[in-house]
Amino acid sequence: MRNILLVEDDEFVCRTIEIILRKQAYTVTIAKNGQDALQFLKQSTFDLVITDLMLPYANGLELVSKIRHELHLGMPILVLSAVTHEKTVTEGFDIGVDDYLKKPFNPAELTSRVNRLIEQKEKHTL
Protein backbone atom coordinates (compact mmCIF):
# COMPACT_ATOMS: atom_id res chain seq x y z
CA MET A 1 0.00 0.00 0.00
CA ARG A 2 1.26 3.48 -0.84
CA ASN A 3 1.84 5.90 2.02
CA ILE A 4 1.24 9.64 1.84
CA LEU A 5 2.18 12.24 4.44
CA LEU A 6 -0.35 15.07 4.44
CA VAL A 7 0.82 18.24 6.17
CA GLU A 8 -2.20 20.51 6.66
CA ASP A 9 -3.44 22.52 9.62
CA ASP A 10 -6.96 23.27 8.31
CA GLU A 11 -9.20 20.50 9.65
CA PHE A 12 -11.80 20.72 6.84
CA VAL A 13 -9.20 20.65 4.06
CA CYS A 14 -7.34 17.87 5.84
CA ARG A 15 -10.41 15.62 6.14
CA THR A 16 -11.43 16.34 2.54
CA ILE A 17 -8.02 15.34 1.17
CA GLU A 18 -7.88 12.31 3.44
CA ILE A 19 -11.25 11.05 2.16
CA ILE A 20 -10.22 11.61 -1.48
CA LEU A 21 -6.93 9.75 -1.06
CA ARG A 22 -8.31 6.87 1.01
CA LYS A 23 -10.87 6.24 -1.77
CA GLN A 24 -7.85 5.74 -4.04
CA ALA A 25 -6.47 3.12 -1.59
CA TYR A 26 -3.71 5.33 -0.20
CA THR A 27 -2.67 5.22 3.44
CA VAL A 28 -2.67 8.77 4.78
CA THR A 29 -0.68 10.03 7.77
CA ILE A 30 -1.64 13.51 8.93
CA ALA A 31 0.69 16.11 10.41
CA LYS A 32 -0.83 19.38 11.60
CA ASN A 33 2.44 21.33 11.38
CA GLY A 34 5.96 21.20 9.99
CA GLN A 35 7.48 20.02 13.26
CA ASP A 36 5.20 16.96 13.43
CA ALA A 37 5.83 16.28 9.75
CA LEU A 38 9.58 16.12 10.33
CA GLN A 39 9.07 13.63 13.16
CA PHE A 40 6.92 11.39 10.94
CA LEU A 41 9.54 11.61 8.17
CA LYS A 42 12.27 10.48 10.57
CA GLN A 43 10.18 7.51 11.75
CA SER A 44 8.47 6.23 8.58
CA THR A 45 8.83 5.96 4.82
CA PHE A 46 6.42 7.79 2.53
CA ASP A 47 5.78 7.63 -1.20
CA LEU A 48 4.63 11.26 -1.37
CA VAL A 49 4.41 14.36 0.80
CA ILE A 50 1.56 16.82 0.31
CA THR A 51 2.06 20.07 2.19
CA ASP A 52 0.42 23.42 2.60
CA LEU A 53 2.72 26.45 2.74
CA MET A 54 1.11 28.32 5.62
CA LEU A 55 1.86 26.07 8.59
CA PRO A 56 2.75 26.56 12.24
CA TYR A 57 6.24 25.63 13.51
CA ALA A 58 7.88 25.61 10.05
CA ASN A 59 6.19 26.81 6.90
CA GLY A 60 5.87 24.56 3.88
CA LEU A 61 8.96 25.89 2.12
CA GLU A 62 11.06 25.40 5.25
CA LEU A 63 9.71 21.86 5.47
CA VAL A 64 10.58 21.14 1.83
CA SER A 65 14.08 22.53 2.34
CA LYS A 66 14.61 20.31 5.39
CA ILE A 67 13.28 17.24 3.57
CA ARG A 68 15.65 17.80 0.65
CA HIS A 69 18.76 19.27 2.29
CA GLU A 70 18.85 17.92 5.85
CA LEU A 71 17.04 14.59 5.65
CA HIS A 72 18.10 14.03 2.00
CA LEU A 73 14.81 12.36 1.12
CA GLY A 74 13.81 12.03 -2.51
CA MET A 75 10.11 11.26 -2.41
CA PRO A 76 7.93 13.58 -4.52
CA ILE A 77 6.52 16.67 -2.83
CA LEU A 78 3.24 18.29 -3.86
CA VAL A 79 2.47 21.74 -2.49
CA LEU A 80 -1.23 22.40 -2.06
CA SER A 81 -1.72 26.04 -1.14
CA ALA A 82 -3.74 29.21 -1.62
CA VAL A 83 -0.41 31.07 -1.90
CA THR A 84 0.17 31.44 -5.64
CA HIS A 85 2.64 34.33 -5.90
CA GLU A 86 5.02 33.59 -8.76
CA LYS A 87 8.06 34.21 -6.55
CA THR A 88 6.84 31.74 -3.92
CA VAL A 89 5.97 29.08 -6.49
CA THR A 90 9.36 29.51 -8.21
CA GLU A 91 11.18 29.34 -4.87
CA GLY A 92 9.33 26.12 -4.11
CA PHE A 93 10.44 24.50 -7.36
CA ASP A 94 13.99 25.75 -6.82
CA ILE A 95 14.26 24.00 -3.43
CA GLY A 96 12.73 20.71 -4.52
CA VAL A 97 8.94 20.86 -4.90
CA ASP A 98 7.78 18.48 -7.66
CA ASP A 99 4.31 19.90 -8.26
CA TYR A 100 2.09 22.76 -7.11
CA LEU A 101 -1.69 22.79 -6.88
CA LYS A 102 -3.61 25.85 -5.78
CA LYS A 103 -6.52 25.89 -3.36
CA PRO A 104 -9.39 25.55 -3.84
CA PHE A 105 -8.60 22.39 -5.79
CA ASN A 106 -10.57 19.99 -7.92
CA PRO A 107 -10.59 16.49 -6.34
CA ALA A 108 -10.06 14.80 -9.73
CA GLU A 109 -7.05 17.01 -10.44
CA LEU A 110 -5.59 16.25 -7.00
CA THR A 111 -6.01 12.52 -7.57
CA SER A 112 -4.46 12.76 -11.03
CA ARG A 113 -1.42 14.67 -9.79
CA VAL A 114 -0.90 12.34 -6.82
CA ASN A 115 -1.13 9.25 -9.04
CA ARG A 116 1.28 10.76 -11.59
CA LEU A 117 3.88 11.74 -8.99
CA ILE A 118 3.82 8.32 -7.34
CA GLU A 119 3.97 6.49 -10.68
CA GLN A 120 6.98 8.62 -11.72
CA LYS A 121 8.70 7.81 -8.43
CA GLU A 122 8.08 4.09 -8.90
CA LYS A 123 9.46 4.17 -12.47
CA HIS A 124 12.65 5.89 -11.27
CA THR A 125 13.03 3.36 -8.43
CA LEU A 126 12.98 0.36 -10.78
Side-chain angles (χ1 to χ4, degrees):
M1 190 167 264
R2 297 171 178 156
N3 297 313
I4 296 175
L5 177 61
L6 173 59
V7 190
E8 174 63 62
D9 63 330
D10 181 300
E11 189 66 32
F12 177 76
V13 173
C14 191
R15 290 293 159 219
T16 301
I17 295 170
E18 182 180 22
I19 290 167
I20 292 166
L21 295 176
R22 287 188 192 275
K23 283 184 181 179
Q24 298 296 315
Y26 291 113
T27 299
V28 181
T29 300
I30 298 168
K32 298 291 185 183
N33 58 61
Q35 189 176 35
D36 290 349
L38 290 170
Q39 289 303 314
F40 283 122
L41 288 162
K42 290 174 184 175
Q43 298 168 358
S44 302
T45 302
F46 296 94
D47 298 294
L48 174 71
V49 173
I50 300 173
T51 185
D52 190 4
L53 290 181
M54 306 304 290
L55 297 167
Y57 308 117
N59 72 42
L61 292 180
E62 291 170 336
L63 176 62
V64 170
S65 182
K66 288 180 183 204
I67 290 170
R68 295 296 192 228
H69 305 292
E70 290 180 23
L71 300 177
H72 304 286
L73 299 173
M75 84 283 288
I77 299 172
L78 170 64
V79 168
L80 182 62
S81 180
V83 177
T84 57
H85 300 101
E86 184 178 344
K87 182 180 179 206
T88 304
V89 173
T90 302
E91 182 182 353
F93 285 124
D94 288 346
I95 62 171
V97 169
D98 295 284
D99 203 353
Y100 200 106
L101 184 60
K102 71 176 191 165
K103 292 178 186 175
F105 61 90
N106 176 303
E109 184 176 5
L110 173 65
T111 300
S112 177
R113 289 175 187 251
V114 165
N115 291 337
R116 179 183 55 81
L117 287 168
I118 290 178
E119 286 170 10
Q120 285 177 344
K121 174 192 176 275
E122 290 173 350
K123 283 180 187 175
H124 284 43
T125 305
L126 296 178

